[in-house]
Amino acid sequence: MKNLSLPIVVSLLLLTAGCGDATGPNAGQGRVDLSFAATRSGAQSAAAETMTLGGNTLVIDRVQLVLREVALKRARGTGDCSSSSDSDDCEELEIGPFLLDLPLGGGIARPVSIVVDTGTFRELEFEVHKPEDDGRDREFLALHPDFARVSIRVAGTFNGTPFVFLSDLDVEQEIDLVPSLVVGEAASTNLTLSVDLGRWFLNALRTTLVNPGSANKGGANEGLVKDNIKQSFEAFEDNDRDGRHD
């Protein structure tokens, strides 16, 4: 696995490791810009995500996720891109944990720029991470103590009543890139990681919305919402950076 030094162009806490050219691609290299976007079901306002289904109305004002260990897997690769792997089949963004404020209201977060060797990549991997009091997590928690053993925080209202949803989801995500991402020499390509917030708080039959408060630790809908979140990620080439497939 190749560890890369990263020029950071987003206002996130990014803990970098490895070596590389932080000024731009060299011969045989290109650049991938990783952006972040949110999609949703239902109506949308300028400053929040608003969803109405089955007589319930959910307004999401803020979504924060803790992510780490983002990696691109080559089309020829057969193994995974975990931190224990040592394969040239993967280009790894060994950063984090970092706190992502997901852009709402149709926006797209400014990208992280990654210098990678040219080639074709078929998969994006990353971890939704629950910080513990060890290693790099200590540095992260010194800045974000409210995220001790918390990977996701959502604030908003459900049928007019304020809520805060907290999750300790800790999972590696593997997202197929269809079509595959092709990185050319000295070229810049944008890859968008999109999160479908409209799926997070759906009931099992997808006929109504559940109260996010019922999905907190020990709540009746904790498992349901965790499964919904794991299914909500998509990644694709997005060179015009509009949050949709090119």
Side-chain angles (χ1 to χ4, degrees):
M1 182 174 294
K2 185 173 295 183
N3 294 333
L4 302 171
S5 177
L6 308 174
I8 302 305
V9 291
V10 288
S11 55
L12 306 173
L13 171 65
L14 298 176
L15 304 177
T16 64
C19 59
D21 182 2
T23 62
N26 292 320
Q29 294 182 319
R31 192 179 81 223
V32 176
D33 294 335
L34 179 61
S35 301
F36 304 91
T39 60
R40 86 285 178 266
S41 302
Q44 178 177 324
S45 67
E49 303 293 329
T50 302
M51 289 152 267
T52 300
L53 185 65
N56 292 318
T57 298
L58 171 66
V59 178
I60 296 179
D61 295 313
R62 192 175 191 184
V63 180
Q64 296 170 289
L65 301 93
V66 182
L67 304 179
R68 71 171 185 177
E69 291 185 5
V70 184
L72 287 168
K73 182 187 290 184
R74 293 188 180 277
R76 69 173 183 268
T78 57
D80 63 34
C81 294
S82 66
S83 57
S84 61
S85 174
D86 186 22
S87 171
D88 287 338
D89 289 340
C90 301
E91 298 276 6
E92 184 178 8
L93 204 94
E94 190 161 346
I95 58 175
F98 65 90
L99 183 62
L100 169 65
D101 257 298
L102 198 64
L104 303 180
I108 186 166
R110 296 174 62 191
V112 175
S113 290
I114 317 158
V115 175
V116 301
D117 288 343
T118 58
T120 301
F121 299 89
R122 65 180 176 87
E123 191 172 86
L124 175 71
E125 296 184 5
F126 62 94
E127 290 184 19
V128 179
H129 176 61
K130 175 184 65 176
E132 305 279 0
D133 188 20
D134 57 13
R136 287 184 179 177
D137 287 357
R138 287 199 181 101
E139 299 175 60
F140 173 85
L141 290 174
L143 295 174
H144 307 287
D146 292 343
F147 281 83
R149 301 184 64 81
V150 172
S151 58
I152 299 173
R153 185 183 189 277
V154 181
T157 61
F158 184 76
N159 293 334
T161 301
F163 73 85
V164 173
F165 164 73
L166 302 175
S167 178
D168 62 357
L169 181 66
D170 196 66
V171 65
E172 180 177 305
Q173 295 288 110
E174 299 179 353
I175 311 297
D176 290 334
L177 301 176
V178 181
S180 297
L181 185 73
V182 178
V183 179
E185 185 170 342
S188 177
T189 303
N190 188 76
L191 181 67
T192 291
L193 176 62
S194 178
V195 186
D196 183 2
L197 296 179
R199 300 185 63 168
W200 282 22
F201 301 107
L202 286 176
N203 71 340
L205 297 177
R206 302 184 182 277
T207 55
T208 191
L209 297 163
V210 301
N211 187 337
S214 69
N216 280 321
K217 188 71 174 177
N221 289 309
E222 180 186 7
L224 168 72
V225 171
K226 281 185 174 180
D227 287 341
N228 287 347
I229 292 172
K230 288 187 284 186
Q231 300 300 317
S232 70
F233 296 97
E234 185 181 14
F236 45 84
E237 189 170 356
D238 179 22
N239 287 317
D240 58 4
R241 296 177 183 172
D242 64 354
R244 297 187 292 271
H245 286 270
D246 284 347

PDB file of all heavy atoms in Angstrom, residues 207-225:
ATOM      1  N   THR A 207     -42.055   3.380   4.456  1.00  0.00           N
ATOM      2  CA  THR A 207     -43.354   4.038   4.308  1.00  0.00           C
ATOM      3  C   THR A 207     -43.480   5.295   5.163  1.00  0.00           C
ATOM      4  O   THR A 207     -44.392   6.087   4.971  1.00  0.00           O
ATOM      5  CB  THR A 207     -44.489   3.074   4.684  1.00  0.00           C
ATOM      6  OG1 THR A 207     -44.262   2.579   6.013  1.00  0.00           O
ATOM      7  CG2 THR A 207     -44.549   1.913   3.708  1.00  0.00           C
ATOM      8  N   THR A 208     -42.576   5.464   6.120  1.00  0.00           N
ATOM      9  CA  THR A 208     -42.617   6.639   6.983  1.00  0.00           C
ATOM     10  C   THR A 208     -41.239   6.884   7.568  1.00  0.00           C
ATOM     11  O   THR A 208     -40.316   6.081   7.401  1.00  0.00           O
ATOM     12  CB  THR A 208     -43.657   6.475   8.110  1.00  0.00           C
ATOM     13  OG1 THR A 208     -43.849   7.740   8.768  1.00  0.00           O
ATOM     14  CG2 THR A 208     -43.218   5.444   9.130  1.00  0.00           C
ATOM     15  N   LEU A 209     -41.097   8.008   8.252  1.00  0.00           N
ATOM     16  CA  LEU A 209     -39.852   8.364   8.930  1.00  0.00           C
ATOM     17  C   LEU A 209     -39.951   8.009  10.404  1.00  0.00           C
ATOM     18  O   LEU A 209     -41.025   8.143  11.010  1.00  0.00           O
ATOM     19  CB  LEU A 209     -39.583   9.860   8.772  1.00  0.00           C
ATOM     20  CG  LEU A 209     -39.377  10.353   7.335  1.00  0.00           C
ATOM     21  CD1 LEU A 209     -39.531  11.873   7.278  1.00  0.00           C
ATOM     22  CD2 LEU A 209     -38.015   9.938   6.815  1.00  0.00           C
ATOM     23  N   VAL A 210     -38.841   7.560  10.985  1.00  0.00           N
ATOM     24  CA  VAL A 210     -38.813   7.282  12.416  1.00  0.00           C
ATOM     25  C   VAL A 210     -38.174   8.451  13.142  1.00  0.00           C
ATOM     26  O   VAL A 210     -37.383   9.214  12.573  1.00  0.00           O
ATOM     27  CB  VAL A 210     -38.052   5.974  12.719  1.00  0.00           C
ATOM     28  CG1 VAL A 210     -38.690   4.800  12.007  1.00  0.00           C
ATOM     29  CG2 VAL A 210     -36.571   6.093  12.337  1.00  0.00           C
ATOM     30  N   ASN A 211     -38.512   8.605  14.392  1.00  0.00           N
ATOM     31  CA  ASN A 211     -37.925   9.646  15.226  1.00  0.00           C
ATOM     32  C   ASN A 211     -36.446   9.330  15.453  1.00  0.00           C
ATOM     33  O   ASN A 211     -36.109   8.274  15.986  1.00  0.00           O
ATOM     34  CB  ASN A 211     -38.658   9.708  16.567  1.00  0.00           C
ATOM     35  CG  ASN A 211     -38.216  10.884  17.423  1.00  0.00           C
ATOM     36  OD1 ASN A 211     -37.125  11.415  17.267  1.00  0.00           O
ATOM     37  ND2 ASN A 211     -39.080  11.288  18.339  1.00  0.00           N
ATOM     38  N   PRO A 212     -35.530  10.204  15.038  1.00  0.00           N
ATOM     39  CA  PRO A 212     -34.104   9.921  15.246  1.00  0.00           C
ATOM     40  C   PRO A 212     -33.748   9.656  16.697  1.00  0.00           C
ATOM     41  O   PRO A 212     -32.797   8.906  16.984  1.00  0.00           O
ATOM     42  CB  PRO A 212     -33.416  11.190  14.719  1.00  0.00           C
ATOM     43  CG  PRO A 212     -34.363  11.714  13.698  1.00  0.00           C
ATOM     44  CD  PRO A 212     -35.725  11.444  14.270  1.00  0.00           C
ATOM     45  N   GLY A 213     -34.500  10.258  17.628  1.00  0.00           N
ATOM     46  CA  GLY A 213     -34.244  10.006  19.045  1.00  0.00           C
ATOM     47  C   GLY A 213     -34.428   8.550  19.418  1.00  0.00           C
ATOM     48  O   GLY A 213     -33.787   8.055  20.360  1.00  0.00           O
ATOM     49  N   SER A 214     -35.277   7.824  18.679  1.00  0.00           N
ATOM     50  CA  SER A 214     -35.504   6.403  18.952  1.00  0.00           C
ATOM     51  C   SER A 214     -34.381   5.523  18.413  1.00  0.00           C
ATOM     52  O   SER A 214     -34.400   4.310  18.621  1.00  0.00           O
ATOM     53  CB  SER A 214     -36.839   5.960  18.341  1.00  0.00           C
ATOM     54  OG  SER A 214     -36.769   5.951  16.920  1.00  0.00           O
ATOM     55  N   ALA A 215     -33.419   6.136  17.723  1.00  0.00           N
ATOM     56  CA  ALA A 215     -32.291   5.387  17.168  1.00  0.00           C
ATOM     57  C   ALA A 215     -31.001   5.634  17.941  1.00  0.00           C
ATOM     58  O   ALA A 215     -29.937   5.148  17.536  1.00  0.00           O
ATOM     59  CB  ALA A 215     -32.099   5.750  15.701  1.00  0.00           C
ATOM     60  N   ASN A 216     -31.079   6.374  19.037  1.00  0.00           N
ATOM     61  CA  ASN A 216     -29.899   6.549  19.886  1.00  0.00           C
ATOM     62  C   ASN A 216     -29.551   5.238  20.587  1.00  0.00           C
ATOM     63  O   ASN A 216     -30.289   4.252  20.505  1.00  0.00           O
ATOM     64  CB  ASN A 216     -30.142   7.664  20.902  1.00  0.00           C
ATOM     65  CG  ASN A 216     -29.948   9.043  20.294  1.00  0.00           C
ATOM     66  OD1 ASN A 216     -29.046   9.254  19.491  1.00  0.00           O
ATOM     67  ND2 ASN A 216     -30.811   9.983  20.661  1.00  0.00           N
ATOM     68  N   LYS A 217     -28.416   5.217  21.276  1.00  0.00           N
ATOM     69  CA  LYS A 217     -27.927   4.000  21.908  1.00  0.00           C
ATOM     70  C   LYS A 217     -29.012   3.340  22.752  1.00  0.00           C
ATOM     71  O   LYS A 217     -29.607   3.971  23.644  1.00  0.00           O
ATOM     72  CB  LYS A 217     -26.723   4.338  22.790  1.00  0.00           C
ATOM     73  CG  LYS A 217     -25.999   3.132  23.363  1.00  0.00           C
ATOM     74  CD  LYS A 217     -25.247   2.398  22.291  1.00  0.00           C
ATOM     75  CE  LYS A 217     -24.392   1.278  22.888  1.00  0.00           C
ATOM     76  NZ  LYS A 217     -23.683   0.495  21.837  1.00  0.00           N
ATOM     77  N   GLY A 218     -29.314   2.064  22.459  1.00  0.00           N
ATOM     78  CA  GLY A 218     -30.322   1.324  23.196  1.00  0.00           C
ATOM     79  C   GLY A 218     -31.734   1.560  22.738  1.00  0.00           C
ATOM     80  O   GLY A 218     -32.663   0.924  23.253  1.00  0.00           O
ATOM     81  N   GLY A 219     -31.937   2.454  21.763  1.00  0.00           N
ATOM     82  CA  GLY A 219     -33.278   2.757  21.278  1.00  0.00           C
ATOM     83  C   GLY A 219     -33.827   1.675  20.370  1.00  0.00           C
ATOM     84  O   GLY A 219     -33.093   0.860  19.805  1.00  0.00           O
ATOM     85  N   ALA A 220     -35.141   1.688  20.192  1.00  0.00           N
ATOM     86  CA  ALA A 220     -35.815   0.648  19.414  1.00  0.00           C
ATOM     87  C   ALA A 220     -35.351   0.620  17.962  1.00  0.00           C
ATOM     88  O   ALA A 220     -35.356  -0.437  17.322  1.00  0.00           O
ATOM     89  CB  ALA A 220     -37.329   0.864  19.475  1.00  0.00           C
ATOM     90  N   ASN A 221     -34.949   1.753  17.432  1.00  0.00           N
ATOM     91  CA  ASN A 221     -34.566   1.831  16.019  1.00  0.00           C
ATOM     92  C   ASN A 221     -33.054   1.983  15.803  1.00  0.00           C
ATOM     93  O   ASN A 221     -32.618   2.341  14.706  1.00  0.00           O
ATOM     94  CB  ASN A 221     -35.303   2.994  15.351  1.00  0.00           C
ATOM     95  CG  ASN A 221     -36.773   2.706  15.175  1.00  0.00           C
ATOM     96  OD1 ASN A 221     -37.152   1.657  14.639  1.00  0.00           O
ATOM     97  ND2 ASN A 221     -37.620   3.614  15.654  1.00  0.00           N
ATOM     98  N   GLU A 222     -32.255   1.688  16.835  1.00  0.00           N
ATOM     99  CA  GLU A 222     -30.803   1.846  16.699  1.00  0.00           C
ATOM    100  C   GLU A 222     -30.256   0.990  15.564  1.00  0.00           C
ATOM    101  O   GLU A 222     -29.521   1.476  14.679  1.00  0.00           O
ATOM    102  CB  GLU A 222     -30.092   1.476  18.007  1.00  0.00           C
ATOM    103  CG  GLU A 222     -28.579   1.615  17.912  1.00  0.00           C
ATOM    104  CD  GLU A 222     -27.854   1.115  19.161  1.00  0.00           C
ATOM    105  OE1 GLU A 222     -28.519   0.530  20.046  1.00  0.00           O
ATOM    106  OE2 GLU A 222     -26.625   1.298  19.245  1.00  0.00           O
ATOM    107  N   GLY A 223     -30.573  -0.303  15.558  1.00  0.00           N
ATOM    108  CA  GLY A 223     -30.055  -1.201  14.538  1.00  0.00           C
ATOM    109  C   GLY A 223     -30.546  -0.856  13.143  1.00  0.00           C
ATOM    110  O   GLY A 223     -29.794  -0.919  12.168  1.00  0.00           O
ATOM    111  N   LEU A 224     -31.816  -0.486  13.052  1.00  0.00           N
ATOM    112  CA  LEU A 224     -32.410  -0.112  11.765  1.00  0.00           C
ATOM    113  C   LEU A 224     -31.670   1.060  11.146  1.00  0.00           C
ATOM    114  O   LEU A 224     -31.274   1.025   9.963  1.00  0.00           O
ATOM    115  CB  LEU A 224     -33.882   0.242  11.961  1.00  0.00           C
ATOM    116  CG  LEU A 224     -34.585   0.929  10.778  1.00  0.00           C
ATOM    117  CD1 LEU A 224     -34.807  -0.054   9.644  1.00  0.00           C
ATOM    118  CD2 LEU A 224     -35.901   1.562  11.227  1.00  0.00           C
ATOM    119  N   VAL A 225     -31.447   2.109  11.920  1.00  0.00           N
ATOM    120  CA  VAL A 225     -30.812   3.314  11.386  1.00  0.00           C
ATOM    121  C   VAL A 225     -29.338   3.052  11.070  1.00  0.00           C
ATOM    122  O   VAL A 225     -28.819   3.545  10.049  1.00  0.00           O
ATOM    123  CB  VAL A 225     -30.991   4.493  12.354  1.00  0.00           C
ATOM    124  CG1 VAL A 225     -30.150   5.685  11.936  1.00  0.00           C
ATOM    125  CG2 VAL A 225     -32.470   4.887  12.418  1.00  0.00           C
TER     126      VAL A 225
END
